[in-house]
């Protein structure tokens, strides 16, 4: 920003000046904090950060979406989304973050990434843009001698302005394996035990939508397998189930379960029908009648198994980014075209969409 621009900005009414700042990306705002004390105070204010976050939901083009994921050796990496959408034939390189000790990513929400220290058993919040880090949670090592995580989810309780993470812990006891579902609210001193949470080996990672965490699960009902969406309300700290699209045929067996994703802040399901991949979007959360079919993709050109194709992102031009076990690909909802060749990647399936923000919660 030039000296003339600075003089012009300072001559603007405060309200108009703030509205301009709210439409700038995070990286620009962090640079402007160095201009003067008043700008630093304004941009550092938690209420400004919340208003800026609200602006991002109205106009996502302000921010630079990325995928965050753990590589498996304790390294955290990010992959920009924009090149995957605009230059699919070009290789896209991931950026590595130096994180010590060893962390795994449990989720991302409002510009915050939830990390689990796999060795020491605690979780923290991290904002890669502002370099904010929260205090450590109590360690899972204090609860269980030997443990691993079967399922997890991270999200935001908007009513109480709290960030929460849920983990389904399998611990190795004297009588075999036992499951415990625990919830941690950042800023508190202990993990809460969630009673009678449905046990299912296919829970994996939860998708955060409208204050809830969601998983596709397989339930045993009268000797038959039934697939449904398990929804955990972060405000009420209770769970319910959401029915699948009523007009979509699907097999009630584990390997044929649909993949759950989030597109435009809505739940999305991809079904493998053996001949097609069918995409559905829940336009109004929790309302079964709002399931809307987005499109069908012929399965023939796709690398199998098709049931592990996950919807990841949709842009303003209705181009959907999806991925298989080892590749990304694009699907144009406007004309039903699939972009081939596929975009090869070494990124694992546990990637999380990250949107830059100024959020640094007071815990």
């Amino acid at each position: 920003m030039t000296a003339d621009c600075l003089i012009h900005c300072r001559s603007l009414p405060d309200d108009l000046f703030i509205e301009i700042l709210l439409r700038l990306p995070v990286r620009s705002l962090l640079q402007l904090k160095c201009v003067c004390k008043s700008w630093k105070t304004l941009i550092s204010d938690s209420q400004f950060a919340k208003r800026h976050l609200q602006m991002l939901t109205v106009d996502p083009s302000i921010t630079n979406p990325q995928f965050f994921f753990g590589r498996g050796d304790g390294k955290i990496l990010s992959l920009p989304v924009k090149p995957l959408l605009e230059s699919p034939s070009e290789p896209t390189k991931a950026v590595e973050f130096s994180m010590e000790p060893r962390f795994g990513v449990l989720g991302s929400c409002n510009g915050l990434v939830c990390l689990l220290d796999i060795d020491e058993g605690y979780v923290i919040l991290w904002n890669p843009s502002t370099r904010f880090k929260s205090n450590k949670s109590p360690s899972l090592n204090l609860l269980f001698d030997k443990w691993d995580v079967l399922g997890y989810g991270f999200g935001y309780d908007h009513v109480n302005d709290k960030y929460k993470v849920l983990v389904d812990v399998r611990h190795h006891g004297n009588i075999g394996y036992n499951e415990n579902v625990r919830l941690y609210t950042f800023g508190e001193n202990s993990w809460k035990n969630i009673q009678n949470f449905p046990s299912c080996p296919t829970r994996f990672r939860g998708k955060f939508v409208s204050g809830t965490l969601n998983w596709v699960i397989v339930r045993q009902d009268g000797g038959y397998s039934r697939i449904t969406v398990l929804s955990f309300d972060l405000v009420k700290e209770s769970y319910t189930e959401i029915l699948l699209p009523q007009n979509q045929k699907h097999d009630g067996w584990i390997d044929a379960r649909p993949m759950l994703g989030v597109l435009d802040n809505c739940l999305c399901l991809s079904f493998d029908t053996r001949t097609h991949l069918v995409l559905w979007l829940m336009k109004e959360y929790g309302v079964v009648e709002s399931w809307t079919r987005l499109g069908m993709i012929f399965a023939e050109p796709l690398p199998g198994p098709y049931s592990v194709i996950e919807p990841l992102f949709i842009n303003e031009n209705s181009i959907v980014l999806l991925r298989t076990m080892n590749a990304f690909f694009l699907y144009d909802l406007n004309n039903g075209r699939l972009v081939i060749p596929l975009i090869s990647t070494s990124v694992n399936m546990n990637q999380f969409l990250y949107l830059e923000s100024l959020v640094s919660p007071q815990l």
Side-chain angles (χ1 to χ4, degrees):
M1 183 174 286
T2 64
D4 291 340
C5 289
L6 288 174
I7 294 173
H8 181 66
C9 287
R10 286 171 173 168
S11 65
L12 293 173
D14 290 345
D15 291 347
L16 180 57
F17 175 57
I18 292 175
E19 288 299 319
I20 293 173
L21 290 183
L22 289 172
R23 287 163 172 79
L24 294 180
V26 169
R27 294 181 185 181
S28 298
L29 291 171
L30 293 177
Q31 292 174 342
L32 291 177
K33 288 176 65 175
C34 302
V35 172
C36 61
K37 287 186 177 181
S38 61
W39 287 20
K40 180 179 181 180
T41 300
L42 171 64
I43 297 171
S44 301
D45 183 74
S46 61
Q47 293 304 313
F48 180 86
K50 289 183 178 180
R51 290 185 62 187
H52 185 260
L53 181 63
Q54 293 172 351
M55 187 63 68
L56 295 182
T57 62
V58 176
D59 184 7
S61 64
I62 295 175
T63 190
N64 300 305
Q66 304 166 54
F67 290 120
F68 267 74
F69 57 96
R71 195 169 61 186
D73 58 357
K75 300 296 183 181
I76 304 299
L77 295 90
S78 71
L79 189 71
V81 174
K82 188 175 181 180
L84 295 174
L85 294 169
E86 297 181 353
S87 305
S89 60
E90 298 293 329
T92 303
K93 294 184 178 180
V95 177
E96 180 180 310
F97 288 86
S98 178
M99 299 290 292
E100 294 295 340
R102 182 177 163 195
F103 286 101
V105 182
L106 296 186
S108 177
C109 173
N110 294 349
L112 297 172
V113 180
C114 180
L115 300 176
L116 168 68
D117 184 309
I118 301 171
D119 292 331
E120 298 188 18
Y122 65 81
V123 292
I124 63 168
L125 293 181
W126 171 49
N127 186 327
S129 298
T130 64
R131 299 184 180 180
F132 162 84
K133 284 186 181 180
S134 71
N135 293 327
K136 301 176 182 178
S137 74
S139 174
L140 291 170
N141 293 349
L142 300 177
L143 301 175
F144 314 108
D145 292 332
K146 297 179 180 179
W147 56 271
D148 49 29
V149 174
L150 296 179
Y152 51 90
F154 166 68
Y156 178 59
D157 170 358
H158 62 283
V159 173
N160 299 297
D161 192 22
K162 296 289 186 179
Y163 290 89
K164 300 180 179 181
V165 58
L166 183 142
V167 294
D168 181 2
V169 180
R170 180 179 66 176
H171 68 95
H172 311 251
N174 295 328
I175 56 174
Y177 297 111
N178 298 288
E179 286 189 49
N180 283 264
V181 176
R182 299 295 175 109
L183 181 73
Y184 179 68
T185 300
F186 282 92
E188 297 187 357
N189 296 320
S190 62
W191 291 83
K192 180 182 296 185
N193 190 28
I194 304 299
Q195 300 287 345
N196 302 318
F197 200 77
S199 177
C200 180
T202 62
R203 188 174 301 129
F204 302 125
R205 58 196 179 99
K207 305 293 185 179
F208 175 70
V209 175
S210 299
T212 67
L213 299 174
N214 301 269
W215 300 262
V216 170
I217 65 169
V218 180
R219 299 275 261 167
Q220 298 301 319
D221 189 1
Y224 294 92
S225 296
R226 177 172 58 89
I227 300 177
T228 186
V229 174
L230 175 65
S231 171
F232 183 79
D233 190 313
L234 289 172
V235 178
K236 299 176 181 178
E237 298 185 355
S238 61
Y239 63 86
T240 187
E241 294 185 21
I242 299 175
L243 297 178
L244 303 186
Q246 296 178 353
N247 297 327
Q248 176 64 52
K249 294 182 180 180
H250 58 88
D251 296 325
W253 51 289
I254 292 178
D255 291 338
R257 68 186 181 277
M259 287 294 291
L260 187 65
V262 178
L263 298 180
D264 199 21
N265 295 315
C266 296
L267 283 184
C268 181
L269 287 171
S270 62
F271 288 86
D272 168 24
T273 67
R274 307 305 177 104
T275 59
H276 294 79
L277 185 74
V278 186
L279 299 178
W280 289 81
L281 191 74
M282 178 173 263
K283 292 189 174 182
E284 185 177 351
Y285 183 81
V287 179
V288 176
E289 293 76 16
S290 71
W291 281 116
T292 303
R293 196 172 73 174
L294 292 181
M296 292 198 310
I297 307 172
F298 282 104
E300 185 177 348
L302 300 176
Y306 316 125
S307 58
V308 293
I309 293 178
E310 179 184 3
L312 298 176
F313 185 81
I314 186 170
N315 68 5
E316 64 277 7
N317 298 319
S318 297
I319 307 298
V320 181
L321 177 67
L322 303 101
R323 66 159 300 147
T324 65
M325 289 290 289
N326 56 7
F328 295 102
F329 65 95
L330 305 178
Y331 177 66
D332 191 333
L333 294 176
N334 301 300
N335 54 29
R337 290 181 56 190
L338 189 68
V339 177
I340 300 290
L342 302 179
I343 312 160
S344 297
T345 176
S346 59
V347 177
N348 64 29
M349 287 292 286
N350 292 322
Q351 72 289 313
F352 299 88
L353 184 65
Y354 167 79
L355 301 178
E356 296 177 338
S357 83
L358 296 167
V359 174
S360 300
Q362 302 296 316
L363 303 174

